[in-house]
Amino acid sequence: MKRLCFGIMLAVLFLTGCSSLKVLDPKGTVAELQLNLFQISIAIMLFVFFVVFSMFVYFTWKYRETPERRHLTPSYIKGNKKLEVTWTVIPILLLVILAVPTVKGTFSLAESDENNENPLKIVVTGHQYWWEVHYPDQGITLTNEAYIPVDRPVVFKLKSDDVIHSFWMPRLGGKKDLIPGKTNTLTLNASEEGVYKGQCAELCGASHSYMRFQVHAVGKQKFSQWVDQMSQKKEPETLDPTAEKGKKLFISKCLTCHAVSPAERSKGPNLSGFAGKERVGNVLLNTDENVQKWIRDPSSFKPDVNMPPFPDLTEEDLNALSSYLSQLE
Ligand code: CUA
């Protein structure tokens, strides 16, 4: 038993460092406010813990059983106003110290949803098991990633297409559910350029853990360049014969669910920029071989995924498809 406990403690100690989400390293005003609140409550908790435990240890030692005291019956004391007032007032004070910044912070976060000038609006729709990221004003749609400008409030409108998901980017703060039939709003901002990782934080099915996403925070100028670049993005014009064949197959088999231009929205993940994605379906590394394995039977890599298997495609077909997909810059 002792060994098991020790093992668990060791695992907790080492595995807490494994997360790439960097929960305690905020890079935005919302996340900083939340971390401050968190630190205040931890400080109060440590204070209470220290005082109570010190007294507990002290009194246990002081009034321990000794040979002289073995048969001693302590005298009965009834009530002590001073003590009772003390241990009522101290917790009230502590709660007030905790409540004032918490209530203030909560209200200021709720207000920030509406009081922003020139916010960037992004509609995020959760699907089993991927994220559609849509910029309604720019007409851009992405999958599992978002680009945002630094120092500008971003209003995420959160929706779900199937079950409840939860949108969570710890370094930018906040975590909010995506609920079918309802639109939730989450306002965040990034104070520093960088790539921030996110993760679905609500168990939504067998492949919940694959619902990861990335937010690229870039300078304001870079952001408008990116918007221009995305709006002018066209499909590759010259394709080699294999890729050309793949394109035809793609049009007949895949286009009903997948768009290949950021200007279009589709039922399944938008595949524009597929060549630059690190992973296929957020699971397998993006190599030709893996793309082919994925198309043949996606659910063997991502359980419960909505994409059907394509057992009828020949090696040659799969080769053509992966060749076409690798040209989608
Ligand atoms: Cu979506 Cu978990």
Side-chain angles (χ1 to χ4, degrees):
M1 191 60 201
K2 256 188 193 164
R3 260 193 211 169
L4 180 72
C5 284
F6 184 67
I8 292 173
M9 276 160 68
L10 260 183
V12 168
L13 186 67
F14 288 109
L15 293 177
T16 39
C18 284
S19 163
S20 55
L21 293 165
K22 295 187 182 157
V23 178
L24 296 177
D25 183 15
K27 285 286 178 271
T29 46
V30 173
E32 275 155 25
L33 176 74
Q34 289 168 344
L35 185 66
N36 285 343
L37 288 177
F38 183 62
Q39 283 167 336
I40 294 172
S41 37
I42 293 277
I44 292 178
M45 185 271 286
L46 284 176
F47 171 73
V48 172
F49 178 84
F50 185 74
V51 170
V52 170
F53 249 78
S54 313
M55 285 164 75
F56 171 72
V57 171
Y58 174 72
F59 287 116
T60 313
W61 176 253
K62 187 173 180 195
Y63 297 107
R64 71 194 183 283
E65 192 189 81
T66 55
E68 305 93 69
R69 277 197 292 235
R70 180 149 297 156
H71 301 293
L72 187 85
T73 314
S75 57
Y76 180 70
I77 305 165
K78 198 179 162 205
N80 185 322
K81 243 187 204 147
K82 247 192 215 164
L83 276 177
E84 281 164 20
V85 169
T86 312
W87 67 55
T88 310
V89 169
I90 293 177
I92 290 178
L93 283 178
L94 290 178
L95 283 181
V96 170
I97 294 174
L98 185 63
V100 171
T102 305
V103 173
K104 230 170 112 184
T106 309
F107 275 90
S108 83
L109 287 178
E111 267 170 24
S112 70
D113 285 355
E114 292 134 27
N115 291 357
N116 282 307
E117 283 170 38
N118 189 28
L120 173 71
K121 197 172 148 194
I122 301 181
V123 182
V124 175
T125 311
H127 298 265
Q128 284 172 315
Y129 300 95
W130 58 283
W131 306 89
E132 189 205 55
V133 177
H134 177 64
Y135 297 70
D137 299 326
Q138 289 77 12
I140 298 172
T141 301
L142 305 175
T143 300
N144 296 338
E145 62 178 344
Y147 281 78
I148 60 170
V150 289
D151 295 328
R152 179 176 165 192
V154 183
V155 175
F156 290 97
K157 293 281 171 193
L158 307 173
K159 302 177 176 192
S160 169
D161 200 34
D162 33 53
V163 298
I164 300 177
H165 304 273
S166 181
F167 189 67
W168 185 43
M169 261 177 298
R171 294 183 79 193
L172 300 183
K175 179 199 275 178
K176 216 167 227 184
D177 281 2
L178 299 88
I179 299 167
K182 186 176 188 291
T183 303
N184 276 341
T185 304
L186 178 68
T187 307
L188 298 174
N189 75 326
S191 53
E192 218 174 87
E193 291 187 35
V195 181
Y196 301 109
K197 299 207 166 162
Q199 165 76 49
C200 178
E202 179 78 50
L203 182 63
C204 54
S207 288
H208 150 74
S209 65
Y210 292 123
M211 279 191 79
R212 293 186 290 262
F213 60 95
Q214 285 188 345
V215 175
H216 305 258
V218 295
K220 282 182 184 168
Q221 210 178 343
K222 250 199 203 157
F223 180 75
S224 40
Q225 278 169 4
W226 174 79
V227 171
D228 290 341
Q229 200 190 323
M230 291 310 268
S231 359
Q232 285 155 18
K233 205 166 179 180
K234 287 208 178 76
E235 266 204 72
E237 275 164 20
T238 44
L239 291 169
D240 62 63
T242 320
E244 193 59 55
K245 185 183 170 216
K247 184 179 175 179
K248 284 194 186 119
L249 265 169
F250 188 91
I251 291 172
S252 70
K253 301 236 178 241
C254 319
L255 206 61
T256 39
C257 292
H258 295 287
V260 286
S261 150
E264 282 165 47
R265 294 179 82 176
S266 49
K267 198 168 95 185
N270 189 310
L271 296 182
S272 85
F274 183 83
K277 293 264 183 201
E278 193 195 332
R279 286 174 189 273
V280 190
N282 256 355
V283 184
L284 299 171
L285 277 176
N286 189 359
T287 61
D288 277 349
E289 197 191 334
N290 282 341
V291 172
Q292 295 170 21
K293 279 191 202 161
W294 172 268
I295 298 174
R296 179 153 281 166
D297 187 14
S299 66
S300 64
F301 305 105
K302 199 174 183 178
D304 200 27
V305 70
N306 279 322
M307 178 169 161
F310 289 89
D312 301 337
L313 292 173
T314 63
E315 289 286 321
E316 209 185 313
D317 292 342
L318 289 169
N319 194 22
L321 277 170
S322 68
S323 158
Y324 170 63
L325 288 168
S326 71
Q327 314 262 317
L328 295 176
E329 299 282 349

